[in-house]
Amino acid sequence: MADVMAQEVQMDPGVEMDHEVEMEQEVEMEEEECTFSGDSDYSDDSDFVDEISEEELLGDLLKEKPTEPSEVNDTVIVVDGVPKVGPERFEKLCNLLHNIFEKFGAVVSSGFPKDSDGKTRGYVFFEYNDVDAAREAIKQKDGFKLDKAHTFRVNVVSDFAKYAKVDEKMAIPEKEPFNYVGNLQSFLEDDNCHDQFCAIYDEGMTTGIYSNTAPEPTIVAERQRWTEKYVRWSPYGAYFATIHSKGIALWGGAEFKQIQRFGHQQVHFIDFSPCEKYLVTLGQGEPAAVIIWEILNGMKKRVFPIDMSQEENLRWPTFKWSDDGKYFARMLKGVIQVYETPNMNLLDKKSFSVPNVSQFCWSPKDNLLAYWVAEQDQIPARVVILNIPSRHEVRVKNLFNVQDIRLHWHNEGRFLCVKVDRYNKTKKIHYSTFEIFHINEKQVPVDIIEQKEQVQAFAWEPTGNKFCCLHGIPGYTSASFYEIKNLKVELLSTLERKSASHLFWSPAGQFIVLASVEGNNPPGILEFIDTGDMSVMHIAEHPGASDVEWDPTGRYIVSCASYWAQKEDAAAWFWSFQGKLLRKFRREKLCQLLWRPKPPTLLSPEQCKQIKKDHKKYSKGFDAKDRLLQSRVSKEILGKRRELMDSYTEYRQKCSAQYQQDTPYRRELRNDVNTDEIECGVIDDEWTEVKVESLFSEENEVIADDKKGKE
């Protein structure tokens, strides 16, 4: 049986070859049947463009595509700086960290590495559903202080792989050329210590910078279309800012070269940090935003979107800076947010809640933040002074029957005046009180001064212990002057029946100007007062004055009638500190005038006192120099006079030469007699001057008294 099967399986070699040929022929026939006439294959042309994307064609399948490893790592964060705890405290730590990091999104998984003893190693892994949640967790919690000994450092896991691939060979960066713009404080090198000021005129088309020389200002720089809106000096005068539709430009140096540009569309307001390191701009485009820039490199440090429909965002400046520029803060509804530089992050990664907060301001010298909270229901109003960054409450004061409160820091930060507008129990009569906080004294004592009338204006003396307030009704006020001596507030004097609405202290102290500016009745009245003996030195009037500003030294004050406020008689008048009118600065359609600020002196208080003590030694030299400067005229007038004098001298020499040339002709006509020598017969030295007085007429008229005339 097996032999028969073997015979059936074995085939003749010739038959096998015939079978293979038949198979090949069948395959060729099938290929011919499947091939259409005229088509060789189904490949696309070389210039064919497929307009259907993979998402449209295979959208459902692509959703099931496995995530790339890099994307997975971007959703996983590692938190370092976590406390190291044993098994007995592990559950408490786990719950604490989950409560902190689940605020930013759903946590898919977490990992707590442990050592052989079961103790955590000080770092934790969290995986989120999406990348945005992981990024927000890093932004909010990187640098977060859990307690005094533990500060979180949060990173995404993919960063470890990225920094592990850093090339060990350092690539030397290209050296950028240094753009030297000149000495930004060259204006301080003026031998005569002339101040500078800028002015916009020609209806905003021309901007000029002048030196306040005598008798007329000398122009330093003048340009057409230098700004499109207005100009602004930095706090120490190093930078000159111009506003444009596309952003801000900063200028400086002796030739006012462009230093930096900041692109921000539709900028309306700008502000500088006190240290001149940062610039703040508010653009009201779409969307509106406040941007903080670093001036030296032009980098955008942080952007704050602003909703202009909210009332708290309509105040400017939006951010207020501490004196040293380390912190800046803003007030929102029910909260105060304090940010720190240079990272521009929230202090301690959180804002502090202050329900009903109405106003806040920084101390001019220390990192102290003062704010007040309005009354609500049966809870009184409250004034709080905070230390930053510790947030320790230095002083808290409750106030009752409050209508409004205004905070006024002394320029040296030694006092804080809280002006409280109150009403009586019937809520019909309004009056004001001053709460004076002595900041440098132990437990910060408070003095209270009551004014029976409502206070219209308040101002501290910049360098002393005096302050002045205007109280009464608008247009009919009284000025009261106080001084703090031995921790007590004393009334110096009260000047009644004044029409002033604003107070302007000299930067050097002692002298003050009471002014009524545009919008008050009557406008333009200036009263110059010496608080040393409480005397009124002078009363003047500048009709239509809308701005009053002292120069940085306190020697001059300028009142300006701006073309922006009134269309006629726009001019700036310069006054001495005693009220003497020095000059009228007239430019066609004068819009704005600003003094250039100066940085604080580098001399110690002892050196300043010694200079004042020795001032009499050099006063004669100074007086002689002042007289010389007063007798000088401007370069332009002097040049014109020199041209006229040269022209006259040339004409006189020409006439004299012609006269000498005609001498022989004259002698010939006069019988060879030189009449030039004998005509007058008088030597020049023999001339005498005679004054003749003549009386033309004299009239006498008797004017009788009205009463006698009636009798």
Side-chain angles (χ1 to χ4, degrees), residues 299-566:
M299 290 182 59
K300 188 184 297 184
K301 299 295 292 184
R302 183 156 182 182
V303 179
F304 295 88
I306 296 294
D307 184 4
M308 301 305 295
S309 62
Q310 297 182 7
E311 182 180 356
E312 60 267 17
N313 293 329
L314 299 178
R315 305 184 186 95
W316 184 259
T318 304
F319 293 96
K320 297 181 181 179
W321 292 83
S322 62
D323 177 67
D324 55 6
K326 290 183 178 180
Y327 306 98
F328 60 98
R330 68 172 173 177
M331 181 181 67
L332 299 177
K333 188 175 182 179
V335 297
I336 295 179
Q337 295 178 332
V338 180
Y339 297 83
E340 54 186 343
T341 60
N343 56 25
M344 303 296 168
N345 292 330
L346 271 174
L347 182 64
D348 296 334
K349 299 294 181 180
K350 60 181 179 180
S351 56
F352 53 95
S353 176
V354 187
N356 298 323
V357 61
S358 299
Q359 183 197 5
F360 80 97
C361 55
W362 290 93
S363 167
K365 290 299 180 183
D366 303 305
N367 289 331
L368 296 177
L369 186 69
Y371 66 88
W372 72 277
V373 179
E375 285 183 323
Q376 186 179 20
D377 299 331
Q378 300 299 323
I379 302 176
R382 187 172 76 258
V383 175
V384 181
I385 302 176
L386 279 181
N387 178 276
I388 300 296
S390 66
R391 304 194 186 193
H392 168 68
E393 292 185 350
V394 178
R395 188 68 161 85
V396 179
K397 181 74 184 295
N398 293 330
L399 302 170
F400 301 89
N401 300 328
V402 173
Q403 181 188 18
D404 191 21
I405 290 178
R406 285 293 175 264
L407 307 176
H408 302 275
W409 280 99
H410 188 273
N411 284 26
E412 297 175 354
R414 294 184 283 116
F415 307 103
L416 171 65
C417 175
V418 179
K419 182 181 77 72
V420 186
D421 294 333
R422 302 177 183 271
Y423 49 82
N424 60 3
K425 295 181 179 180
T426 60
K427 298 186 178 182
K428 293 182 179 181
I429 301 176
H430 299 276
Y431 64 98
S432 300
T433 59
F434 298 124
E435 311 274 341
I436 308 296
F437 290 72
H438 300 261
I439 302 299
N440 296 335
E441 302 300 327
K442 188 177 181 180
Q443 296 182 353
V444 190
V446 179
D447 285 333
I448 302 176
I449 301 99
E450 182 175 336
Q451 280 287 349
K452 296 182 179 180
E453 299 176 312
Q454 194 167 10
V455 174
Q456 304 296 332
F458 176 93
W460 284 102
E461 182 185 18
T463 58
N465 296 338
K466 302 188 187 87
F467 65 88
C468 176
C469 67
L470 294 176
H471 50 90
I473 60 176
Y476 191 83
T477 57
S478 299
S480 294
F481 294 85
Y482 296 85
E483 186 175 11
I484 301 176
K485 294 181 180 179
N486 300 324
L487 301 181
K488 294 182 179 180
V489 182
E490 299 179 2
L491 176 64
L492 297 179
S493 178
T494 299
L495 305 179
E496 298 181 349
R497 298 182 180 180
K498 304 297 178 182
S499 60
S501 60
H502 293 74
L503 302 170
F504 299 95
W505 280 97
S506 166
Q510 184 176 346
F511 303 102
I512 188 174
V513 173
L514 311 182
S516 61
V517 296
E518 183 67 27
N520 296 275
N521 189 22
I525 303 297
L526 306 176
E527 249 182 284
F528 297 81
I529 297 175
D530 182 1
T531 60
D533 54 5
M534 300 310 302
S535 62
V536 179
M537 297 182 293
H538 188 66
I539 299 177
E541 182 179 2
H542 181 183
S546 55
D547 301 292
V548 177
E549 185 179 5
W550 284 90
D551 82 310
T553 62
R555 295 178 295 175
Y556 310 101
I557 186 171
V558 62
S559 58
C560 180
S562 173
Y563 178 78
W564 289 336
Q566 63 176 28

Side-chain angles (χ1 to χ4, degrees), residues 614-646:
D614 298 339
H615 183 266
K616 293 183 179 179
K617 297 180 181 179
Y618 311 102
S619 60
K620 293 182 179 179
F622 293 150
D623 293 340
K625 198 169 186 179
D626 289 341
R627 286 193 296 269
L628 180 62
L629 291 174
Q630 290 176 0
S631 63
R632 280 184 192 164
V633 294
S634 64
K635 294 181 179 179
E636 183 179 354
I637 298 176
L638 191 61
K640 289 181 179 180
R641 289 182 178 178
R642 188 179 292 110
E643 291 178 2
L644 293 174
M645 189 63 185
D646 293 342

Side-chain angles (χ1 to χ4, degrees), residues 60-198:
D60 297 337
L61 296 177
L62 289 176
K63 291 181 179 179
E64 300 177 1
K65 178 182 176 181
T67 308
E68 296 293 334
S70 61
E71 296 180 4
V72 173
N73 292 337
D74 287 342
T75 61
V76 180
I77 63 172
V78 56
V79 183
D80 197 7
V82 176
K84 298 179 181 180
V85 299
E88 66 280 359
R89 300 180 59 189
F90 174 75
E91 184 177 356
K92 183 178 180 180
L93 175 65
C94 182
N95 294 334
L96 174 63
L97 295 179
H98 271 272
N99 290 335
I100 293 176
F101 287 94
E102 284 179 351
K103 297 178 181 178
F104 310 105
V107 175
V108 177
S109 61
S110 60
F112 291 76
K114 301 177 183 179
D115 55 20
S116 58
D117 298 334
K119 190 176 181 179
T120 58
R121 295 187 175 183
Y123 56 93
V124 182
F125 296 92
F126 287 100
E127 181 181 359
Y128 288 95
N129 273 335
D130 53 67
V131 177
D132 293 337
R135 291 175 180 172
E136 187 65 21
I138 296 173
K139 180 180 178 181
Q140 296 292 335
K141 293 304 175 183
D142 184 32
F144 174 75
K145 292 183 179 180
L146 183 64
D147 53 37
K148 293 183 179 180
H150 299 89
T151 301
F152 289 166
R153 302 300 303 178
V154 187
N155 294 278
V156 66
V157 172
S158 58
D159 287 346
F160 291 89
K162 179 174 68 174
Y163 295 122
K165 296 178 181 179
V166 175
D167 191 358
E168 295 182 357
K169 296 181 180 179
M170 184 186 72
I172 300 177
E174 296 182 2
K175 186 177 180 180
E176 296 183 0
F178 176 68
N179 181 24
Y180 181 67
V181 297
N183 182 8
L184 297 180
Q185 295 182 338
S186 59
F187 65 100
L188 299 176
E189 298 176 350
D190 189 340
D191 294 336
N192 297 317
C193 300
H194 290 140
D195 295 313
Q196 292 184 359
F197 64 89
C198 65

